[in-house]
Amino acid sequence: MHQMEALRLELLQGMPIFGGVGEPALAFLLERAQSVGVPAGEFYFHEGDEASGMFVLETGHVVVSKTWKGKEFVLRHLGPGDCFGEMALMDLQPRSASVRAIDDCNAIELSPGHLYDLYKRDAEQFALIQMNMGREVCRRLRATDEMLFHAEMGSTPTDPSQVHHST
């Protein structure tokens, strides 16, 4: 295994979405995935774009944002090892936010087709990834619900990481 492949495998193994997924399944996905570089200031995708898959950030930092009345509102900052666009693998709806590179970035792109290939090869590992994605989306939804509640009550935390997460 090349050093780059080993680093990519290690990156995926450290992510909640791929928690508990075996090395052979991850290597299978990485063989099919493509690497997508985006220069600083450019976008991986825009809110409303047709969704094509999810990205795992290898290098650089991105900002996730939504536009309202012509102004960009930052939802979160992401760095190496973070993923974005995973909702596309679940609901196949247009992008719900934009993702812009802060620095020159490189990310691994996984498409629904890549996961379907894994499903045909190893349904158990596919199901584990789906469950992990569901958990991650639910975790984000809980945090968003909590922030919305605080906003309604007039006491929004300034840092989303300060939001209490119930288990």
PDB file of all heavy atoms in Angstrom, residues 72-94:
ATOM      1  N   GLU A  72     -23.949  36.280   2.867  1.00  0.00           N
ATOM      2  CA  GLU A  72     -23.485  34.944   3.257  1.00  0.00           C
ATOM      3  C   GLU A  72     -23.462  34.835   4.782  1.00  0.00           C
ATOM      4  O   GLU A  72     -22.915  35.695   5.469  1.00  0.00           O
ATOM      5  CB  GLU A  72     -22.075  34.701   2.702  1.00  0.00           C
ATOM      6  CG  GLU A  72     -21.494  33.363   3.089  1.00  0.00           C
ATOM      7  CD  GLU A  72     -20.047  33.174   2.654  1.00  0.00           C
ATOM      8  OE1 GLU A  72     -19.270  34.146   2.712  1.00  0.00           O
ATOM      9  OE2 GLU A  72     -19.702  32.049   2.278  1.00  0.00           O
ATOM     10  N   PHE A  73     -24.076  33.754   5.294  1.00  0.00           N
ATOM     11  CA  PHE A  73     -24.055  33.471   6.730  1.00  0.00           C
ATOM     12  C   PHE A  73     -23.311  32.160   6.945  1.00  0.00           C
ATOM     13  O   PHE A  73     -23.690  31.127   6.394  1.00  0.00           O
ATOM     14  CB  PHE A  73     -25.479  33.368   7.289  1.00  0.00           C
ATOM     15  CG  PHE A  73     -26.192  34.687   7.320  1.00  0.00           C
ATOM     16  CD1 PHE A  73     -26.901  35.141   6.221  1.00  0.00           C
ATOM     17  CD2 PHE A  73     -26.112  35.498   8.448  1.00  0.00           C
ATOM     18  CE1 PHE A  73     -27.541  36.378   6.243  1.00  0.00           C
ATOM     19  CE2 PHE A  73     -26.748  36.731   8.482  1.00  0.00           C
ATOM     20  CZ  PHE A  73     -27.468  37.172   7.378  1.00  0.00           C
ATOM     21  N   VAL A  74     -22.245  32.214   7.734  1.00  0.00           N
ATOM     22  CA  VAL A  74     -21.409  31.042   7.981  1.00  0.00           C
ATOM     23  C   VAL A  74     -22.097  30.119   8.978  1.00  0.00           C
ATOM     24  O   VAL A  74     -22.510  30.546  10.053  1.00  0.00           O
ATOM     25  CB  VAL A  74     -20.019  31.461   8.505  1.00  0.00           C
ATOM     26  CG1 VAL A  74     -19.213  30.245   8.924  1.00  0.00           C
ATOM     27  CG2 VAL A  74     -19.290  32.273   7.443  1.00  0.00           C
ATOM     28  N   LEU A  75     -22.214  28.849   8.599  1.00  0.00           N
ATOM     29  CA  LEU A  75     -22.784  27.836   9.486  1.00  0.00           C
ATOM     30  C   LEU A  75     -21.697  27.151  10.296  1.00  0.00           C
ATOM     31  O   LEU A  75     -21.868  26.874  11.472  1.00  0.00           O
ATOM     32  CB  LEU A  75     -23.566  26.793   8.684  1.00  0.00           C
ATOM     33  CG  LEU A  75     -24.730  27.314   7.845  1.00  0.00           C
ATOM     34  CD1 LEU A  75     -25.358  26.180   7.040  1.00  0.00           C
ATOM     35  CD2 LEU A  75     -25.763  27.987   8.725  1.00  0.00           C
ATOM     36  N   ARG A  76     -20.571  26.838   9.631  1.00  0.00           N
ATOM     37  CA  ARG A  76     -19.471  26.192  10.335  1.00  0.00           C
ATOM     38  C   ARG A  76     -18.205  26.195   9.481  1.00  0.00           C
ATOM     39  O   ARG A  76     -18.264  26.352   8.275  1.00  0.00           O
ATOM     40  CB  ARG A  76     -19.808  24.781  10.780  1.00  0.00           C
ATOM     41  CG  ARG A  76     -20.125  23.774   9.716  1.00  0.00           C
ATOM     42  CD  ARG A  76     -20.575  22.452  10.365  1.00  0.00           C
ATOM     43  NE  ARG A  76     -21.572  21.708   9.681  1.00  0.00           N
ATOM     44  CZ  ARG A  76     -22.848  22.014   9.473  1.00  0.00           C
ATOM     45  NH1 ARG A  76     -23.308  23.149   9.861  1.00  0.00           N
ATOM     46  NH2 ARG A  76     -23.675  21.222   8.861  1.00  0.00           N
ATOM     47  N   HIS A  77     -17.091  26.007  10.166  1.00  0.00           N
ATOM     48  CA  HIS A  77     -15.784  25.858   9.517  1.00  0.00           C
ATOM     49  C   HIS A  77     -15.379  24.393   9.644  1.00  0.00           C
ATOM     50  O   HIS A  77     -15.604  23.785  10.687  1.00  0.00           O
ATOM     51  CB  HIS A  77     -14.738  26.744  10.191  1.00  0.00           C
ATOM     52  CG  HIS A  77     -14.948  28.203   9.954  1.00  0.00           C
ATOM     53  ND1 HIS A  77     -15.816  28.962  10.704  1.00  0.00           N
ATOM     54  CD2 HIS A  77     -14.406  29.045   9.033  1.00  0.00           C
ATOM     55  CE1 HIS A  77     -15.798  30.208  10.264  1.00  0.00           C
ATOM     56  NE2 HIS A  77     -14.952  30.289   9.255  1.00  0.00           N
ATOM     57  N   LEU A  78     -14.778  23.856   8.590  1.00  0.00           N
ATOM     58  CA  LEU A  78     -14.332  22.462   8.596  1.00  0.00           C
ATOM     59  C   LEU A  78     -12.869  22.382   8.190  1.00  0.00           C
ATOM     60  O   LEU A  78     -12.381  23.207   7.408  1.00  0.00           O
ATOM     61  CB  LEU A  78     -15.187  21.632   7.625  1.00  0.00           C
ATOM     62  CG  LEU A  78     -16.704  21.625   7.871  1.00  0.00           C
ATOM     63  CD1 LEU A  78     -17.417  20.878   6.757  1.00  0.00           C
ATOM     64  CD2 LEU A  78     -17.029  21.026   9.222  1.00  0.00           C
ATOM     65  N   GLY A  79     -12.199  21.344   8.709  1.00  0.00           N
ATOM     66  CA  GLY A  79     -10.794  21.131   8.387  1.00  0.00           C
ATOM     67  C   GLY A  79     -10.538  19.685   8.006  1.00  0.00           C
ATOM     68  O   GLY A  79     -11.473  18.892   7.851  1.00  0.00           O
ATOM     69  N   PRO A  80      -9.265  19.319   7.849  1.00  0.00           N
ATOM     70  CA  PRO A  80      -8.914  17.959   7.438  1.00  0.00           C
ATOM     71  C   PRO A  80      -9.578  16.901   8.321  1.00  0.00           C
ATOM     72  O   PRO A  80      -9.612  17.029   9.540  1.00  0.00           O
ATOM     73  CB  PRO A  80      -7.383  17.930   7.595  1.00  0.00           C
ATOM     74  CG  PRO A  80      -6.974  19.359   7.390  1.00  0.00           C
ATOM     75  CD  PRO A  80      -8.079  20.167   8.029  1.00  0.00           C
ATOM     76  N   GLY A  81     -10.147  15.896   7.667  1.00  0.00           N
ATOM     77  CA  GLY A  81     -10.834  14.816   8.370  1.00  0.00           C
ATOM     78  C   GLY A  81     -12.329  15.053   8.512  1.00  0.00           C
ATOM     79  O   GLY A  81     -13.063  14.136   8.845  1.00  0.00           O
ATOM     80  N   ASP A  82     -12.783  16.277   8.242  1.00  0.00           N
ATOM     81  CA  ASP A  82     -14.218  16.559   8.288  1.00  0.00           C
ATOM     82  C   ASP A  82     -14.843  16.206   6.947  1.00  0.00           C
ATOM     83  O   ASP A  82     -14.175  16.199   5.912  1.00  0.00           O
ATOM     84  CB  ASP A  82     -14.476  18.045   8.589  1.00  0.00           C
ATOM     85  CG  ASP A  82     -14.154  18.422  10.024  1.00  0.00           C
ATOM     86  OD1 ASP A  82     -14.307  17.556  10.915  1.00  0.00           O
ATOM     87  OD2 ASP A  82     -13.746  19.572  10.253  1.00  0.00           O
ATOM     88  N   CYS A  83     -16.148  15.945   6.985  1.00  0.00           N
ATOM     89  CA  CYS A  83     -16.847  15.652   5.737  1.00  0.00           C
ATOM     90  C   CYS A  83     -17.962  16.660   5.527  1.00  0.00           C
ATOM     91  O   CYS A  83     -18.436  17.289   6.464  1.00  0.00           O
ATOM     92  CB  CYS A  83     -17.380  14.228   5.711  1.00  0.00           C
ATOM     93  SG  CYS A  83     -18.639  13.901   6.935  1.00  0.00           S
ATOM     94  N   PHE A  84     -18.354  16.809   4.279  1.00  0.00           N
ATOM     95  CA  PHE A  84     -19.475  17.679   3.944  1.00  0.00           C
ATOM     96  C   PHE A  84     -20.176  17.111   2.722  1.00  0.00           C
ATOM     97  O   PHE A  84     -19.597  16.358   1.947  1.00  0.00           O
ATOM     98  CB  PHE A  84     -19.022  19.130   3.712  1.00  0.00           C
ATOM     99  CG  PHE A  84     -17.897  19.307   2.722  1.00  0.00           C
ATOM    100  CD1 PHE A  84     -18.156  19.545   1.382  1.00  0.00           C
ATOM    101  CD2 PHE A  84     -16.576  19.238   3.144  1.00  0.00           C
ATOM    102  CE1 PHE A  84     -17.122  19.720   0.478  1.00  0.00           C
ATOM    103  CE2 PHE A  84     -15.526  19.412   2.243  1.00  0.00           C
ATOM    104  CZ  PHE A  84     -15.804  19.650   0.902  1.00  0.00           C
ATOM    105  N   GLY A  85     -21.450  17.421   2.613  1.00  0.00           N
ATOM    106  CA  GLY A  85     -22.242  16.930   1.485  1.00  0.00           C
ATOM    107  C   GLY A  85     -22.803  15.543   1.678  1.00  0.00           C
ATOM    108  O   GLY A  85     -23.377  14.978   0.749  1.00  0.00           O
ATOM    109  N   GLU A  86     -22.669  14.975   2.890  1.00  0.00           N
ATOM    110  CA  GLU A  86     -23.122  13.594   3.099  1.00  0.00           C
ATOM    111  C   GLU A  86     -24.637  13.454   3.030  1.00  0.00           C
ATOM    112  O   GLU A  86     -25.142  12.366   2.758  1.00  0.00           O
ATOM    113  CB  GLU A  86     -22.587  13.021   4.411  1.00  0.00           C
ATOM    114  CG  GLU A  86     -23.152  13.602   5.669  1.00  0.00           C
ATOM    115  CD  GLU A  86     -22.521  14.919   6.074  1.00  0.00           C
ATOM    116  OE1 GLU A  86     -21.661  15.454   5.346  1.00  0.00           O
ATOM    117  OE2 GLU A  86     -22.910  15.431   7.135  1.00  0.00           O
ATOM    118  N   MET A  87     -25.370  14.551   3.247  1.00  0.00           N
ATOM    119  CA  MET A  87     -26.823  14.473   3.118  1.00  0.00           C
ATOM    120  C   MET A  87     -27.212  14.030   1.708  1.00  0.00           C
ATOM    121  O   MET A  87     -28.228  13.368   1.520  1.00  0.00           O
ATOM    122  CB  MET A  87     -27.476  15.816   3.468  1.00  0.00           C
ATOM    123  CG  MET A  87     -27.485  16.093   4.962  1.00  0.00           C
ATOM    124  SD  MET A  87     -28.003  17.766   5.416  1.00  0.00           S
ATOM    125  CE  MET A  87     -29.599  17.884   4.639  1.00  0.00           C
ATOM    126  N   ALA A  88     -26.380  14.371   0.725  1.00  0.00           N
ATOM    127  CA  ALA A  88     -26.656  13.993  -0.666  1.00  0.00           C
ATOM    128  C   ALA A  88     -26.691  12.484  -0.851  1.00  0.00           C
ATOM    129  O   ALA A  88     -27.384  11.983  -1.740  1.00  0.00           O
ATOM    130  CB  ALA A  88     -25.593  14.590  -1.587  1.00  0.00           C
ATOM    131  N   LEU A  89     -25.941  11.765  -0.035  1.00  0.00           N
ATOM    132  CA  LEU A  89     -25.934  10.309  -0.149  1.00  0.00           C
ATOM    133  C   LEU A  89     -27.193   9.707   0.461  1.00  0.00           C
ATOM    134  O   LEU A  89     -27.489   8.539   0.232  1.00  0.00           O
ATOM    135  CB  LEU A  89     -24.702   9.722   0.556  1.00  0.00           C
ATOM    136  CG  LEU A  89     -23.357  10.094  -0.051  1.00  0.00           C
ATOM    137  CD1 LEU A  89     -22.228   9.487   0.776  1.00  0.00           C
ATOM    138  CD2 LEU A  89     -23.250   9.665  -1.496  1.00  0.00           C
ATOM    139  N   MET A  90     -27.903  10.506   1.252  1.00  0.00           N
ATOM    140  CA  MET A  90     -29.096   9.994   1.923  1.00  0.00           C
ATOM    141  C   MET A  90     -30.393  10.449   1.257  1.00  0.00           C
ATOM    142  O   MET A  90     -31.299   9.660   1.069  1.00  0.00           O
ATOM    143  CB  MET A  90     -29.084  10.420   3.392  1.00  0.00           C
ATOM    144  CG  MET A  90     -27.886   9.869   4.142  1.00  0.00           C
ATOM    145  SD  MET A  90     -27.900  10.314   5.875  1.00  0.00           S
ATOM    146  CE  MET A  90     -29.113   9.146   6.475  1.00  0.00           C
ATOM    147  N   ASP A  91     -30.484  11.746   0.908  1.00  0.00           N
ATOM    148  CA  ASP A  91     -31.770  12.234   0.413  1.00  0.00           C
ATOM    149  C   ASP A  91     -31.795  12.614  -1.061  1.00  0.00           C
ATOM    150  O   ASP A  91     -32.865  12.877  -1.608  1.00  0.00           O
ATOM    151  CB  ASP A  91     -32.269  13.393   1.277  1.00  0.00           C
ATOM    152  CG  ASP A  91     -31.421  14.648   1.169  1.00  0.00           C
ATOM    153  OD1 ASP A  91     -30.504  14.720   0.333  1.00  0.00           O
ATOM    154  OD2 ASP A  91     -31.695  15.591   1.945  1.00  0.00           O
ATOM    155  N   LEU A  92     -30.649  12.668  -1.723  1.00  0.00           N
ATOM    156  CA  LEU A  92     -30.552  12.981  -3.153  1.00  0.00           C
ATOM    157  C   LEU A  92     -31.239  14.300  -3.516  1.00  0.00           C
ATOM    158  O   LEU A  92     -31.692  14.487  -4.639  1.00  0.00           O
ATOM    159  CB  LEU A  92     -31.114  11.833  -4.011  1.00  0.00           C
ATOM    160  CG  LEU A  92     -30.495  10.451  -3.745  1.00  0.00           C
ATOM    161  CD1 LEU A  92     -31.195   9.398  -4.578  1.00  0.00           C
ATOM    162  CD2 LEU A  92     -29.007  10.460  -4.037  1.00  0.00           C
ATOM    163  N   GLN A  93     -31.305  15.232  -2.567  1.00  0.00           N
ATOM    164  CA  GLN A  93     -31.895  16.557  -2.789  1.00  0.00           C
ATOM    165  C   GLN A  93     -30.796  17.551  -3.170  1.00  0.00           C
ATOM    166  O   GLN A  93     -29.610  17.295  -2.965  1.00  0.00           O
ATOM    167  CB  GLN A  93     -32.598  17.025  -1.508  1.00  0.00           C
ATOM    168  CG  GLN A  93     -33.772  16.168  -1.086  1.00  0.00           C
ATOM    169  CD  GLN A  93     -34.907  16.223  -2.094  1.00  0.00           C
ATOM    170  OE1 GLN A  93     -35.338  17.295  -2.490  1.00  0.00           O
ATOM    171  NE2 GLN A  93     -35.369  15.066  -2.513  1.00  0.00           N
ATOM    172  N   PRO A  94     -31.189  18.711  -3.704  1.00  0.00           N
ATOM    173  CA  PRO A  94     -30.172  19.743  -4.010  1.00  0.00           C
ATOM    174  C   PRO A  94     -29.402  20.147  -2.753  1.00  0.00           C
ATOM    175  O   PRO A  94     -29.885  19.976  -1.628  1.00  0.00           O
ATOM    176  CB  PRO A  94     -31.013  20.913  -4.543  1.00  0.00           C
ATOM    177  CG  PRO A  94     -32.271  20.290  -5.040  1.00  0.00           C
ATOM    178  CD  PRO A  94     -32.531  19.116  -4.131  1.00  0.00           C
TER     179      PRO A  94
END
